[in-house]
Structures are given as C-alpha cells and as structure tokens.
Short mmCIF file of all heavy atoms in Angstrom, two decimals:
data_model
loop_
_atom_site.label_atom_id
_atom_site.label_comp_id
_atom_site.label_asym_id
_atom_site.label_seq_id
_atom_site.Cartn_x
_atom_site.Cartn_y
_atom_site.Cartn_z
N ARG J 1 -40.75 -23.80 26.47
CA ARG J 1 -41.59 -24.62 27.36
C ARG J 1 -42.89 -25.03 26.66
O ARG J 1 -43.42 -26.10 26.93
CB ARG J 1 -41.87 -23.87 28.64
CG ARG J 1 -40.69 -23.89 29.61
CD ARG J 1 -41.02 -23.24 30.93
NE ARG J 1 -41.16 -21.79 30.82
CZ ARG J 1 -41.35 -20.99 31.86
NH1 ARG J 1 -41.44 -21.48 33.08
NH2 ARG J 1 -41.47 -19.66 31.68
N ASN J 2 -43.40 -24.14 25.79
CA ASN J 2 -44.65 -24.43 25.10
C ASN J 2 -44.45 -24.22 23.60
O ASN J 2 -44.51 -23.08 23.14
CB ASN J 2 -45.75 -23.56 25.62
CG ASN J 2 -47.11 -23.87 24.99
OD1 ASN J 2 -47.20 -24.75 24.13
ND2 ASN J 2 -48.14 -23.13 25.41
N PRO J 3 -44.20 -25.27 22.83
CA PRO J 3 -43.95 -25.10 21.38
C PRO J 3 -45.07 -24.41 20.65
O PRO J 3 -44.85 -23.80 19.58
CB PRO J 3 -43.77 -26.56 20.88
CG PRO J 3 -43.29 -27.30 22.11
CD PRO J 3 -44.01 -26.65 23.25
N ALA J 4 -46.29 -24.48 21.16
CA ALA J 4 -47.41 -23.83 20.49
C ALA J 4 -47.27 -22.33 20.43
O ALA J 4 -47.89 -21.68 19.59
CB ALA J 4 -48.72 -24.20 21.21
N LYS J 5 -46.43 -21.78 21.29
CA LYS J 5 -46.22 -20.31 21.33
C LYS J 5 -45.14 -19.87 20.33
O LYS J 5 -44.82 -18.69 20.27
CB LYS J 5 -45.86 -19.89 22.72
CG LYS J 5 -47.01 -20.01 23.73
CD LYS J 5 -46.69 -19.43 25.07
CE LYS J 5 -47.88 -19.48 26.03
NZ LYS J 5 -47.54 -18.88 27.35
N LEU J 6 -44.59 -20.80 19.55
CA LEU J 6 -43.63 -20.46 18.52
C LEU J 6 -44.11 -21.07 17.23
O LEU J 6 -43.54 -22.02 16.69
CB LEU J 6 -42.23 -20.97 18.86
CG LEU J 6 -41.05 -20.46 18.02
CD1 LEU J 6 -40.93 -18.93 18.17
CD2 LEU J 6 -39.77 -21.14 18.37
N PRO J 7 -45.19 -20.49 16.64
CA PRO J 7 -45.81 -21.11 15.47
C PRO J 7 -45.16 -20.75 14.16
O PRO J 7 -45.75 -20.11 13.29
CB PRO J 7 -47.23 -20.54 15.57
CG PRO J 7 -47.06 -19.18 16.15
CD PRO J 7 -45.89 -19.31 17.10
N ILE J 8 -43.88 -21.15 13.98
CA ILE J 8 -43.20 -20.90 12.73
C ILE J 8 -42.52 -22.20 12.27
O ILE J 8 -42.20 -23.09 13.07
CB ILE J 8 -42.13 -19.80 12.86
CG1 ILE J 8 -41.05 -20.16 13.91
CG2 ILE J 8 -42.77 -18.46 13.21
CD1 ILE J 8 -39.92 -19.17 13.98
N THR J 9 -42.31 -22.29 10.98
CA THR J 9 -41.64 -23.44 10.41
C THR J 9 -40.56 -22.91 9.46
O THR J 9 -40.69 -21.85 8.85
CB THR J 9 -42.59 -24.33 9.62
OG1 THR J 9 -43.24 -23.56 8.60
CG2 THR J 9 -43.67 -24.91 10.51
N HIS J 10 -39.48 -23.67 9.37
CA HIS J 10 -38.34 -23.32 8.53
C HIS J 10 -37.50 -24.58 8.37
O HIS J 10 -37.36 -25.35 9.34
CB HIS J 10 -37.55 -22.19 9.17
CG HIS J 10 -36.51 -21.59 8.21
ND1 HIS J 10 -35.31 -22.18 7.95
CD2 HIS J 10 -36.55 -20.42 7.52
CE1 HIS J 10 -34.62 -21.43 7.14
NE2 HIS J 10 -35.35 -20.35 6.83
N PRO J 11 -36.94 -24.82 7.22
CA PRO J 11 -36.13 -26.05 7.05
C PRO J 11 -34.93 -26.12 7.99
O PRO J 11 -34.43 -27.23 8.25
CB PRO J 11 -35.71 -25.98 5.59
CG PRO J 11 -35.98 -24.61 5.14
CD PRO J 11 -37.08 -24.10 5.95
N ASN J 12 -34.44 -24.97 8.47
CA ASN J 12 -33.29 -24.96 9.36
C ASN J 12 -33.66 -24.80 10.80
O ASN J 12 -32.80 -24.51 11.65
CB ASN J 12 -32.29 -23.89 8.96
CG ASN J 12 -31.62 -24.17 7.61
OD1 ASN J 12 -31.42 -25.34 7.27
ND2 ASN J 12 -31.29 -23.14 6.89
N LEU J 13 -34.95 -24.93 11.16
CA LEU J 13 -35.40 -24.75 12.52
C LEU J 13 -35.94 -26.05 13.10
O LEU J 13 -36.79 -26.74 12.50
CB LEU J 13 -36.50 -23.69 12.55
CG LEU J 13 -37.23 -23.48 13.90
CD1 LEU J 13 -36.26 -22.93 14.93
CD2 LEU J 13 -38.41 -22.56 13.71
N GLN J 14 -35.46 -26.35 14.29
CA GLN J 14 -36.01 -27.43 15.11
C GLN J 14 -36.51 -26.84 16.40
O GLN J 14 -35.78 -26.19 17.14
CB GLN J 14 -34.92 -28.51 15.38
CG GLN J 14 -35.48 -29.67 16.23
CD GLN J 14 -34.39 -30.65 16.59
OE1 GLN J 14 -33.20 -30.37 16.49
NE2 GLN J 14 -34.80 -31.86 17.02
N ILE J 15 -37.78 -27.10 16.70
CA ILE J 15 -38.38 -26.60 17.94
C ILE J 15 -38.46 -27.75 18.94
O ILE J 15 -39.06 -28.79 18.63
CB ILE J 15 -39.74 -25.97 17.69
CG1 ILE J 15 -39.65 -24.79 16.73
CG2 ILE J 15 -40.39 -25.51 19.00
CD1 ILE J 15 -40.98 -24.17 16.30
N VAL J 16 -37.94 -27.55 20.12
CA VAL J 16 -37.87 -28.60 21.12
C VAL J 16 -38.49 -28.08 22.42
O VAL J 16 -38.18 -26.99 22.89
CB VAL J 16 -36.43 -29.08 21.39
CG1 VAL J 16 -36.39 -30.14 22.48
CG2 VAL J 16 -35.79 -29.55 20.13
N GLN J 17 -39.35 -28.88 22.99
CA GLN J 17 -39.96 -28.54 24.30
C GLN J 17 -38.95 -28.85 25.39
O GLN J 17 -38.46 -29.98 25.53
CB GLN J 17 -41.24 -29.30 24.55
CG GLN J 17 -41.96 -28.94 25.81
CD GLN J 17 -43.31 -29.58 25.93
OE1 GLN J 17 -43.62 -30.51 25.22
NE2 GLN J 17 -44.15 -29.03 26.80
N ALA J 18 -38.61 -27.85 26.19
CA ALA J 18 -37.63 -28.00 27.27
C ALA J 18 -37.86 -26.89 28.31
O ALA J 18 -38.44 -25.86 28.00
CB ALA J 18 -36.18 -27.93 26.71
N ASP J 19 -37.33 -27.15 29.48
CA ASP J 19 -37.48 -26.21 30.57
C ASP J 19 -36.13 -26.12 31.29
O ASP J 19 -35.63 -27.12 31.81
CB ASP J 19 -38.57 -26.72 31.59
CG ASP J 19 -38.86 -25.74 32.71
OD1 ASP J 19 -38.02 -24.86 32.98
OD2 ASP J 19 -39.93 -25.86 33.33
N VAL J 20 -35.54 -24.93 31.31
CA VAL J 20 -34.20 -24.78 31.86
C VAL J 20 -34.15 -25.11 33.35
O VAL J 20 -33.05 -25.35 33.89
CB VAL J 20 -33.58 -23.39 31.62
CG1 VAL J 20 -33.36 -23.13 30.15
CG2 VAL J 20 -34.48 -22.28 32.22
N THR J 21 -35.27 -25.05 34.03
CA THR J 21 -35.29 -25.40 35.45
C THR J 21 -35.34 -26.92 35.69
O THR J 21 -35.25 -27.40 36.82
CB THR J 21 -36.46 -24.74 36.18
OG1 THR J 21 -37.68 -25.25 35.69
CG2 THR J 21 -36.43 -23.24 36.01
N ARG J 22 -35.50 -27.67 34.60
CA ARG J 22 -35.55 -29.14 34.67
C ARG J 22 -34.41 -29.71 33.83
O ARG J 22 -34.53 -29.87 32.61
CB ARG J 22 -36.92 -29.64 34.16
CG ARG J 22 -38.09 -29.12 34.97
CD ARG J 22 -39.40 -29.58 34.41
NE ARG J 22 -40.53 -29.09 35.15
CZ ARG J 22 -41.05 -29.65 36.22
NH1 ARG J 22 -40.53 -30.77 36.70
NH2 ARG J 22 -42.06 -29.10 36.84
N PRO J 23 -33.28 -29.95 34.44
CA PRO J 23 -32.07 -30.35 33.71
C PRO J 23 -32.22 -31.53 32.82
O PRO J 23 -31.60 -31.63 31.75
CB PRO J 23 -31.03 -30.55 34.81
CG PRO J 23 -31.78 -30.68 36.09
CD PRO J 23 -32.99 -29.90 35.91
N LEU J 24 -33.07 -32.49 33.21
CA LEU J 24 -33.24 -33.66 32.37
C LEU J 24 -33.83 -33.32 30.99
O LEU J 24 -33.57 -34.00 30.01
CB LEU J 24 -34.08 -34.74 33.08
CG LEU J 24 -33.43 -35.47 34.25
CD1 LEU J 24 -34.41 -36.45 34.86
CD2 LEU J 24 -32.18 -36.16 33.79
N SER J 25 -34.60 -32.22 30.93
CA SER J 25 -35.23 -31.85 29.65
C SER J 25 -34.22 -31.27 28.70
O SER J 25 -34.49 -31.15 27.51
CB SER J 25 -36.34 -30.85 29.91
OG SER J 25 -35.85 -29.58 30.26
N LEU J 26 -33.00 -30.90 29.22
CA LEU J 26 -31.97 -30.37 28.35
C LEU J 26 -30.95 -31.44 27.90
O LEU J 26 -30.14 -31.18 27.03
CB LEU J 26 -31.20 -29.27 29.11
CG LEU J 26 -31.97 -28.09 29.65
CD1 LEU J 26 -31.05 -27.14 30.42
CD2 LEU J 26 -32.66 -27.32 28.55
N SER J 27 -31.05 -32.56 28.50
CA SER J 27 -30.03 -33.61 28.30
C SER J 27 -29.86 -33.99 26.82
O SER J 27 -30.81 -34.32 26.14
CB SER J 27 -30.38 -34.88 29.10
OG SER J 27 -29.41 -35.85 28.93
N GLY J 28 -28.64 -33.84 26.34
CA GLY J 28 -28.30 -34.25 24.97
C GLY J 28 -28.64 -33.25 23.91
O GLY J 28 -28.32 -33.47 22.73
#
C-alpha cells in the first residue's frame, strides 16, 4: 500500500502500489 515502506532495489524486483481491498488496484 505504501512503497516507501519497502526501501529496497533489485534488478528482479518490481514494487507496485496496490491495496487488496480495492480490486481495481490489482487489475492486470
């Protein structure tokens, strides 16, 4: 929900802001 709380980087990591209680944020 808050990407700032996962302050790591890696070439195989993609961080996406989403909320499981909001289905549209999971779409695709």
Side-chain angles (χ1 to χ4, degrees):
R1 283 185 289 185
N2 183 359
K5 291 186 176 181
L6 191 64
I8 60 174
T9 58
H10 191 282
N12 291 331
L13 174 65
Q14 180 184 17
I15 300 174
V16 178
Q17 185 172 15
D19 183 341
V20 294
T21 66
R22 300 177 181 274
L24 288 179
S25 74
L26 304 177
S27 181

